[in-house]
Amino acid sequence: IIISVYEKIGKVETQMNEYTDLNLTINEIHILEKIGENHGINIRDLALCLGVTTATVTVAIQKLPKKGYVLKEKSRSDLRGVILSLTPDGTRVVRSHNIFHIRMVRSMTSGLTNEEKNALYESLNKLNGHLSDFLEKESNEKVRGISI
């Protein structure tokens, strides 16, 4: 059921994005979200946040400055590195997408009683904690050279 819900949420996001006049994919919007949460992030750290390779982020990020959503600046501490931040248009996209998420959650839970909402919240919070623990453990083991 969790996979089914996850897939449906992705479809809802994709469908809603099709009705906007933005020239962005859902993946690009999610990249903008992470840059907004981590102002001045570099590509390597953005890749870590997204759980993808630096090559994937490098390719994905190339269009965003041209579209007017991201600023790329040379890092002062690492001359080879690039620092990413949102433009005002990028910030507006992130705010709009966050409002969409709030409305989507309200819509999804509108038929639930307060007791059911609380139970759902507690269950999802536990699941989120377990997944965070797993990802942290996996990351620590990779750092030590142990693959899972």
Short mmCIF file of all heavy atoms in Angstrom, two decimals, residues 21-24 28 32 35 63-72 85-94:
data_model
loop_
_atom_site.label_atom_id
_atom_site.label_comp_id
_atom_site.label_asym_id
_atom_site.label_seq_id
_atom_site.Cartn_x
_atom_site.Cartn_y
_atom_site.Cartn_z
N ASP A 21 2.06 26.98 -16.00
CA ASP A 21 2.79 27.52 -17.14
C ASP A 21 4.30 27.47 -16.91
O ASP A 21 5.06 28.08 -17.64
CB ASP A 21 2.34 28.94 -17.45
CG ASP A 21 2.52 29.88 -16.28
OD1 ASP A 21 2.89 29.42 -15.19
OD2 ASP A 21 2.29 31.10 -16.46
N LEU A 22 4.72 26.72 -15.90
CA LEU A 22 6.15 26.59 -15.62
C LEU A 22 6.80 25.67 -16.64
O LEU A 22 6.22 24.68 -17.06
CB LEU A 22 6.37 26.00 -14.22
CG LEU A 22 5.84 26.81 -13.05
CD1 LEU A 22 6.01 26.02 -11.76
CD2 LEU A 22 6.54 28.15 -12.97
N ASN A 23 8.01 26.01 -17.01
CA ASN A 23 8.76 25.15 -17.93
C ASN A 23 9.72 24.28 -17.12
O ASN A 23 10.91 24.22 -17.39
CB ASN A 23 9.50 25.99 -18.96
CG ASN A 23 10.44 27.01 -18.31
OD1 ASN A 23 10.32 27.31 -17.12
ND2 ASN A 23 11.36 27.54 -19.08
N LEU A 24 9.17 23.61 -16.10
CA LEU A 24 9.95 22.79 -15.18
C LEU A 24 9.36 21.40 -15.05
O LEU A 24 8.14 21.24 -15.07
CB LEU A 24 9.98 23.43 -13.79
CG LEU A 24 10.71 24.75 -13.64
CD1 LEU A 24 10.35 25.40 -12.32
CD2 LEU A 24 12.20 24.55 -13.76
N GLU A 28 12.99 18.85 -11.43
CA GLU A 28 13.62 20.16 -11.33
C GLU A 28 13.03 20.96 -10.15
O GLU A 28 13.77 21.64 -9.44
CB GLU A 28 13.45 20.94 -12.63
CG GLU A 28 14.30 20.39 -13.76
CD GLU A 28 14.03 21.04 -15.09
OE1 GLU A 28 12.86 21.41 -15.38
OE2 GLU A 28 14.98 21.19 -15.88
N LEU A 32 14.98 22.46 -6.91
CA LEU A 32 14.83 23.83 -6.42
C LEU A 32 14.49 23.85 -4.93
O LEU A 32 15.01 24.69 -4.18
CB LEU A 32 13.74 24.57 -7.21
CG LEU A 32 14.03 24.85 -8.68
CD1 LEU A 32 12.83 25.55 -9.33
CD2 LEU A 32 15.29 25.67 -8.86
N ILE A 35 17.67 23.25 -2.97
CA ILE A 35 18.54 24.43 -3.00
C ILE A 35 17.97 25.51 -2.08
O ILE A 35 18.71 26.16 -1.34
CB ILE A 35 18.70 24.97 -4.45
CG1 ILE A 35 19.44 23.94 -5.31
CG2 ILE A 35 19.42 26.32 -4.45
CD1 ILE A 35 19.45 24.26 -6.79
N LYS A 63 20.13 23.29 -16.83
CA LYS A 63 19.05 24.07 -17.43
C LYS A 63 18.46 25.13 -16.51
O LYS A 63 17.89 26.10 -16.98
CB LYS A 63 17.92 23.12 -17.87
CG LYS A 63 18.30 22.15 -18.95
CD LYS A 63 17.14 21.23 -19.27
CE LYS A 63 17.55 20.17 -20.27
NZ LYS A 63 16.45 19.23 -20.51
N LEU A 64 18.61 24.92 -15.20
CA LEU A 64 17.92 25.81 -14.25
C LEU A 64 18.41 27.25 -14.27
O LEU A 64 17.58 28.17 -14.19
CB LEU A 64 17.96 25.20 -12.86
CG LEU A 64 17.18 23.88 -12.74
CD1 LEU A 64 17.39 23.25 -11.37
CD2 LEU A 64 15.70 24.11 -13.00
N PRO A 65 19.71 27.52 -14.41
CA PRO A 65 20.13 28.93 -14.54
C PRO A 65 19.60 29.56 -15.83
O PRO A 65 19.17 30.72 -15.83
CB PRO A 65 21.66 28.85 -14.55
CG PRO A 65 21.98 27.58 -13.84
CD PRO A 65 20.86 26.63 -14.22
N LYS A 66 19.61 28.80 -16.92
CA LYS A 66 19.12 29.31 -18.20
C LYS A 66 17.63 29.63 -18.14
O LYS A 66 17.15 30.55 -18.80
CB LYS A 66 19.38 28.29 -19.32
CG LYS A 66 20.85 28.08 -19.61
CD LYS A 66 21.07 26.95 -20.61
CE LYS A 66 22.54 26.62 -20.70
NZ LYS A 66 22.79 25.35 -21.36
N LYS A 67 16.89 28.84 -17.35
CA LYS A 67 15.46 29.07 -17.19
C LYS A 67 15.17 30.21 -16.20
O LYS A 67 14.03 30.61 -16.04
CB LYS A 67 14.77 27.79 -16.71
CG LYS A 67 14.75 26.69 -17.76
CD LYS A 67 14.05 25.45 -17.23
CE LYS A 67 13.96 24.35 -18.28
NZ LYS A 67 13.19 23.19 -17.80
N GLY A 68 16.22 30.68 -15.50
CA GLY A 68 16.07 31.81 -14.60
C GLY A 68 15.69 31.47 -13.17
O GLY A 68 15.21 32.33 -12.43
N TYR A 69 15.93 30.22 -12.74
CA TYR A 69 15.53 29.79 -11.41
C TYR A 69 16.68 29.62 -10.42
O TYR A 69 16.46 29.58 -9.22
CB TYR A 69 14.74 28.48 -11.50
CG TYR A 69 13.47 28.60 -12.29
CD1 TYR A 69 13.32 27.98 -13.52
CD2 TYR A 69 12.42 29.38 -11.82
CE1 TYR A 69 12.15 28.10 -14.24
CE2 TYR A 69 11.24 29.51 -12.54
CZ TYR A 69 11.12 28.87 -13.76
OH TYR A 69 9.97 29.01 -14.48
N VAL A 70 17.91 29.47 -10.93
CA VAL A 70 19.07 29.20 -10.07
C VAL A 70 20.23 30.10 -10.47
O VAL A 70 20.45 30.35 -11.66
CB VAL A 70 19.51 27.72 -10.20
CG1 VAL A 70 20.83 27.46 -9.50
CG2 VAL A 70 18.44 26.80 -9.63
N LEU A 71 20.95 30.56 -9.45
CA LEU A 71 22.20 31.29 -9.65
C LEU A 71 23.35 30.34 -9.34
O LEU A 71 23.33 29.66 -8.32
CB LEU A 71 22.29 32.50 -8.73
CG LEU A 71 21.28 33.61 -8.95
CD1 LEU A 71 21.38 34.64 -7.84
CD2 LEU A 71 21.48 34.25 -10.32
N LYS A 72 24.35 30.32 -10.23
CA LYS A 72 25.56 29.54 -10.01
C LYS A 72 26.70 30.52 -9.83
O LYS A 72 26.91 31.38 -10.67
CB LYS A 72 25.84 28.63 -11.21
CG LYS A 72 24.89 27.47 -11.36
CD LYS A 72 25.07 26.74 -12.67
CE LYS A 72 26.31 25.91 -12.69
NZ LYS A 72 26.40 25.06 -13.91
N SER A 85 22.19 28.94 -5.55
CA SER A 85 21.14 29.62 -4.79
C SER A 85 19.98 29.90 -5.73
O SER A 85 20.12 29.85 -6.96
CB SER A 85 21.67 30.91 -4.16
OG SER A 85 22.16 31.78 -5.15
N LEU A 86 18.83 30.18 -5.15
CA LEU A 86 17.63 30.45 -5.94
C LEU A 86 17.55 31.91 -6.35
O LEU A 86 17.92 32.80 -5.58
CB LEU A 86 16.37 30.09 -5.14
CG LEU A 86 16.18 28.64 -4.76
CD1 LEU A 86 14.89 28.49 -3.95
CD2 LEU A 86 16.14 27.74 -5.98
N THR A 87 17.01 32.14 -7.52
CA THR A 87 16.65 33.50 -7.93
C THR A 87 15.28 33.80 -7.31
O THR A 87 14.63 32.88 -6.77
CB THR A 87 16.52 33.59 -9.46
OG1 THR A 87 15.43 32.75 -9.88
CG2 THR A 87 17.82 33.18 -10.17
N PRO A 88 14.80 35.03 -7.39
CA PRO A 88 13.44 35.31 -6.91
C PRO A 88 12.38 34.42 -7.59
O PRO A 88 11.45 33.96 -6.93
CB PRO A 88 13.24 36.80 -7.24
CG PRO A 88 14.64 37.36 -7.16
CD PRO A 88 15.51 36.27 -7.73
N ASP A 89 12.54 34.15 -8.88
CA ASP A 89 11.60 33.25 -9.57
C ASP A 89 11.69 31.84 -9.01
O ASP A 89 10.68 31.15 -8.85
CB ASP A 89 11.84 33.23 -11.07
CG ASP A 89 11.33 34.47 -11.78
OD1 ASP A 89 10.53 35.22 -11.18
OD2 ASP A 89 11.73 34.68 -12.95
N GLY A 90 12.89 31.37 -8.71
CA GLY A 90 13.08 30.05 -8.11
C GLY A 90 12.42 29.98 -6.74
O GLY A 90 11.77 28.98 -6.40
N THR A 91 12.54 31.03 -5.97
CA THR A 91 11.91 31.09 -4.64
C THR A 91 10.39 31.05 -4.77
O THR A 91 9.72 30.35 -4.00
CB THR A 91 12.35 32.37 -3.89
OG1 THR A 91 13.77 32.34 -3.75
CG2 THR A 91 11.71 32.46 -2.53
N ARG A 92 9.84 31.75 -5.75
CA ARG A 92 8.38 31.72 -5.98
C ARG A 92 7.90 30.32 -6.34
O ARG A 92 6.85 29.87 -5.88
CB ARG A 92 7.99 32.73 -7.06
CG ARG A 92 7.84 34.14 -6.55
CD ARG A 92 7.20 35.06 -7.60
NE ARG A 92 8.11 35.39 -8.68
CZ ARG A 92 9.04 36.33 -8.62
NH1 ARG A 92 9.19 37.03 -7.51
NH2 ARG A 92 9.82 36.57 -9.64
N VAL A 93 8.66 29.63 -7.17
CA VAL A 93 8.29 28.26 -7.56
C VAL A 93 8.25 27.37 -6.32
O VAL A 93 7.30 26.59 -6.12
CB VAL A 93 9.27 27.69 -8.60
CG1 VAL A 93 9.07 26.18 -8.77
CG2 VAL A 93 9.10 28.39 -9.93
N VAL A 94 9.27 27.47 -5.47
CA VAL A 94 9.33 26.63 -4.27
C VAL A 94 8.16 26.95 -3.35
O VAL A 94 7.50 26.04 -2.83
CB VAL A 94 10.69 26.81 -3.55
CG1 VAL A 94 10.67 26.15 -2.18
CG2 VAL A 94 11.81 26.22 -4.40
#
